[in-house]
Amino acid sequence: MRAETKTGAVHMNDLSISFEFFPPKTDRGRELLWENVGRLSTLGPRFMTVTYGAGGTDRDWTIETARNIQRDTRVPTAAHLTCIVTPKDEIARIADTLWENQIRHVVALRGDAPRDGSPAPAPDDERYYHFSSDLVDGLRARHPFEISVAAYPEKHPAAPSLDADIAALKKKFDAGADRAITQFFFRNEDFLRFRDKARAAGINGEIVAGILPIADHEKAFDFAGKCGANVPDSLRERFDGLEPRSDAALEVSAELVREQVRALVSEGVREFHFYTLNQAHLTYSACEDLVHGIK
Ligand SMILES: Cc1cc2nc3c(=O)[nH]c(=O)nc-3n(C[C@H](O)[C@H](O)[C@H](O)COP(=O)(O)OP(=O)(O)OC[C@H]3O[C@@H](n4cnc5c(N)ncnc54)[C@H](O)[C@@H]3O)c2cc1C
């Protein structure tokens, strides 16, 4: 795959984009989802994905939403699946349901302990998969899914070090993952350092840059804190005095996401996964920039 033309421009057919959505809970949310899925599907994404509620809540919505998106757009669509509180036999049943519904791609995750305070299964409880690498193993044994896993440029919040987390990522690839999609990040150097370290650790599989367009900067920065993604002061300053979701703030967000993606392309990054939050505008604007070629 050649990325550079004679003039040094990079064109869309050298790049791969994919989009994440979540299953909406209201009628209005469903309307918006379809509107935005329709708009973004015109950009030629390689795949789309649908998230899984923490602890498997709204699981049926994930499957139904993924199936409907795939049917209506003809874009291959993945269902996210978490294993932390779901026994292996139930995971097998879910895997069968996905397969029966023509879902051939799974984003395999461990997930987080339930927020209601109920304990996660004990680490020696053999009825459960305890890490996503175990889930990848289990899914692979059940059906020949395409499998994506999560990666963390600034390390997973619970990992003792970035090196330990990269060793965990290697286990996911060794178990048969096809690609890793990263947590979002705001400092490109974190992603680039992570990518280099992963390669040095013997990970040769695809590492897709996860990009969060900032639809509401207050919420995004708060969420970043929970995910362990650093928000540099220079980024906060761009929104100084701006009302979240105002036209002025959205204009800054659109500039930022275009800048981020352009800078990554100039560093040789070719695969991008956008956390759309079911909103098309900012993601569309960043991808349109890619579609028209980056000089
Ligand atoms: C692209 C992406 C999509 C996501 N989608 C969802 C979603 O739809 N629903 C949802 O609830 N959450 C989602 N999450 C969040 C995710 O569930 C949490 O970050 C969760 O805490 C970890 O999941 P994981 O699959 O990375 O876990 P794991 O890969 O199991 O890692 C968890 C921790 O264990 C360590 N570890 C992993 N494997 C091993 C091993 N074999 N031995 C020792 N240590 C190990 C890791 O270093 C890490 O600290 C998503 C995250 C990303 C990046």
Side-chain angles (χ1 to χ4, degrees):
M1 196 161 68
R2 215 175 104 77
E4 301 278 317
T5 67
K6 274 188 194 152
T7 59
V10 175
H11 290 290
M12 184 63 187
N13 53 5
D14 302 310
L15 301 167
S16 131
I17 52 174
S18 54
F19 304 125
E20 178 189 285
F21 300 96
F22 63 84
K25 293 205 167 95
T26 61
D27 287 345
R28 179 69 191 132
R30 273 186 277 282
E31 255 172 55
L32 283 176
L33 172 75
W34 291 115
E35 217 174 282
N36 291 319
V37 161
R39 185 150 184 240
L40 291 172
S41 66
T42 62
L43 292 165
R46 181 164 55 145
F47 60 85
M48 318 233 230
T49 78
V50 180
T51 61
Y52 197 71
T57 48
D58 304 324
R59 168 192 306 160
D60 295 343
W61 279 120
T62 300
I63 300 174
E64 191 179 320
T65 306
R67 186 195 59 196
N68 292 344
I69 291 179
Q70 181 166 267
R71 187 196 56 208
D72 290 2
T73 63
R74 298 181 179 275
V75 176
T77 303
H80 293 213
L81 175 61
T82 69
C83 61
I84 190 162
V85 291
T86 307
K88 290 177 184 172
D89 53 358
E90 209 176 321
I91 293 279
R93 281 196 293 275
I94 298 169
D96 293 349
T97 305
L98 291 170
W99 196 258
E100 283 155 18
N101 280 281
Q102 314 302 321
I103 303 294
R104 299 289 184 256
H105 179 179
V106 178
V107 181
L109 303 145
R110 185 200 65 181
D112 291 308
R115 282 193 211 125
D116 63 8
S118 53
D124 59 352
D125 188 335
E126 291 190 355
R127 290 170 303 166
Y128 293 86
Y129 298 114
H130 294 286
F131 294 114
S132 64
S133 48
D134 306 326
L135 174 62
V136 173
D137 253 340
L139 288 170
R140 274 258 167 277
R142 193 84 186 171
H143 296 289
F145 286 115
E146 180 176 345
I147 297 183
S148 298
V149 292
Y152 303 85
E154 295 169 79
K155 89 173 183 63
H156 182 266
S161 66
L162 185 58
D163 287 343
D165 206 27
I166 287 174
L169 179 61
K170 181 148 191 328
K171 287 186 184 160
K172 304 187 206 186
F173 275 107
D174 290 347
D178 295 292
R179 79 178 56 74
I181 301 174
T182 76
Q183 183 60 278
F184 65 85
F185 53 91
F186 295 123
R187 295 181 306 198
N188 285 352
E189 61 268 30
D190 290 327
F191 174 83
L192 297 169
R193 188 177 316 115
F194 169 77
R195 183 189 61 175
D196 292 349
K197 274 182 157 258
R199 297 288 179 244
I203 295 174
N204 300 313
E206 187 186 318
I207 299 177
V208 181
I211 304 291
L212 178 72
I214 303 174
D216 175 323
H217 55 277
E218 284 180 1
K219 283 192 186 154
F221 297 162
D222 186 47
F223 186 53
K226 292 180 185 139
C227 298
N230 196 291
V231 184
D233 289 343
S234 57
L235 176 57
R236 289 182 194 278
E237 283 161 13
R238 299 272 291 261
F239 290 97
D240 266 356
L242 300 180
E243 194 62 34
R245 313 196 72 88
S246 61
D247 288 349
L250 288 172
E251 193 42 52
V252 170
S253 300
E255 271 168 30
L256 279 167
V257 69
R258 286 196 300 259
E259 278 169 23
Q260 182 175 24
V261 167
R262 278 170 173 254
L264 287 167
V265 168
S266 73
E267 293 286 348
V269 179
R270 296 290 177 262
E271 287 96 12
F272 297 92
H273 185 71
F274 290 87
Y275 295 103
T276 71
L277 305 180
N278 293 6
Q279 299 167 38
H281 172 68
L282 294 171
T283 298
Y284 194 91
S285 128
C287 294
E288 209 181 24
D289 203 42
L290 295 177
V291 169
H292 290 132
I294 292 182
K295 302 256 181 344

